[in-house]
Amino acid sequence: MVIIDRALACALLATRRLGDNRGWFQIDFSVRELQETGLSFDHVEQLNHSYTEHAGVVRGLNYQADPYAQAKVVSCIAGAVYSVGVDITPSSETFGQWCGFQLTPENHRCMYVPRGYAHGFVTLCDNTELQYLTDNVYSGDHAKSIRYDDPDLAIDWTMGGIVGLRPDILSEKNRQAPLLRDAL
C-alpha cells in the first residue's frame, strides 16, 4: 500500500496490482504495509460491506464513541463513491475540517480514516458497494452520527454538481443526527 494523497489525518492509498497473461492479483490490504506508512491500524477486527441501490444517497456521517472508536480502511468494490472524513476531535487543530476522495473499483484506491473522525460517503452511481475494514468491533450503544448537511461543515456532497443528492433516502439515524457542535 502506498499513500498517494493526504488530507488532514486521512490518506488515499493505492493498492499493489500484479498482472500477467492470466489477469491480475491485487493485495487490497496489509496491516504491516499500512503501519510502514505511519498510519495507525494494528489489526483487523471486522470487514463490513454495504450496498446502496441509488446514486446520490448519503450514508453518514457516522462514528463510534470511545472506547469503541474505530479506524477504517474503506474501498469501493462496485459503483463509485465520494468518501468523506471529518475531524471530530475537539482538541485537534483541524477539528471540524473535512476531506474527501473518490473511490471506484477502477482506480484501485482506498481511504484510511483514523480514530477521532466521522466517516460518510455519497454514492455517485446506482448499485454501489463499499467494503471497509475496522480495527474495533461495532457497538450499537456507541454508534453515533453527525448531520451530513451541517452548515458549519459545508461539505460539498455533490462534488461540484456531479451528483444530485437524494435526501429522501436517509436512514432514520442520519436524519435525526445532531450538528457537530451539539454532538460531542
Side-chain angles (χ1 to χ4, degrees):
M1 304 182 85
V2 177
I3 295 176
I4 56 173
D5 198 2
R6 280 185 177 262
L8 306 175
C10 296
L12 183 63
L13 305 166
T15 56
R16 290 185 295 142
R17 181 175 274 197
L18 307 170
D20 63 20
N21 62 334
R22 300 167 296 170
W24 54 265
F25 170 80
Q26 181 170 301
I27 299 171
D28 284 331
F29 180 79
S30 165
V31 170
R32 182 185 53 77
E33 287 182 15
L34 194 65
Q35 290 172 339
E36 287 174 356
T37 68
L39 300 175
S40 178
F41 202 103
D42 63 1
H43 73 284
V44 173
E45 189 65 43
Q46 288 182 194
L47 170 62
N48 302 321
H49 190 143
S50 71
Y51 168 78
T52 307
E53 185 175 359
H54 299 289
V57 175
V58 176
R59 288 183 177 237
L61 297 158
N62 299 319
Y63 67 99
Q64 288 198 166
D66 284 332
Y68 292 95
Q70 296 176 323
K72 298 177 181 178
V73 175
V74 181
S75 60
C76 182
I77 58 173
V81 299
Y82 184 54
S83 182
V84 172
V86 177
D87 185 345
I88 60 168
T89 304
S91 61
S92 171
E93 324 180 327
T94 58
F95 174 73
Q97 294 181 33
W98 63 274
C99 63
F101 299 111
Q102 188 171 344
L103 307 176
T104 69
E106 294 76 27
N107 71 15
H108 314 291
R109 307 271 164 79
C110 49
M111 180 179 180
Y112 168 78
V113 183
R115 290 179 179 215
Y117 274 63
H119 175 255
F121 63 91
V122 62
T123 54
L124 303 178
C125 58
D126 292 345
N127 303 311
T128 292
E129 294 183 55
L130 202 70
Q131 234 178 3
Y132 54 101
L133 300 162
T134 67
D135 70 348
N136 206 348
V137 298
Y138 173 78
S139 170
D141 291 340
H142 295 82
K144 310 288 182 190
S145 291
I146 296 165
R147 285 192 61 91
Y148 79 96
D149 59 353
D150 184 329
D152 291 336
L153 298 176
I155 298 169
D156 179 12
W157 292 102
T158 70
M159 294 182 61
I162 291 174
V163 65
L165 297 185
R166 295 287 309 266
D168 57 311
I169 307 177
L170 280 176
S171 71
E172 195 56 32
K173 174 183 168 185
N174 291 153
R175 188 180 315 285
Q176 300 298 323
L179 301 173
L180 177 59
R181 68 175 168 253
D182 301 324
L184 306 174

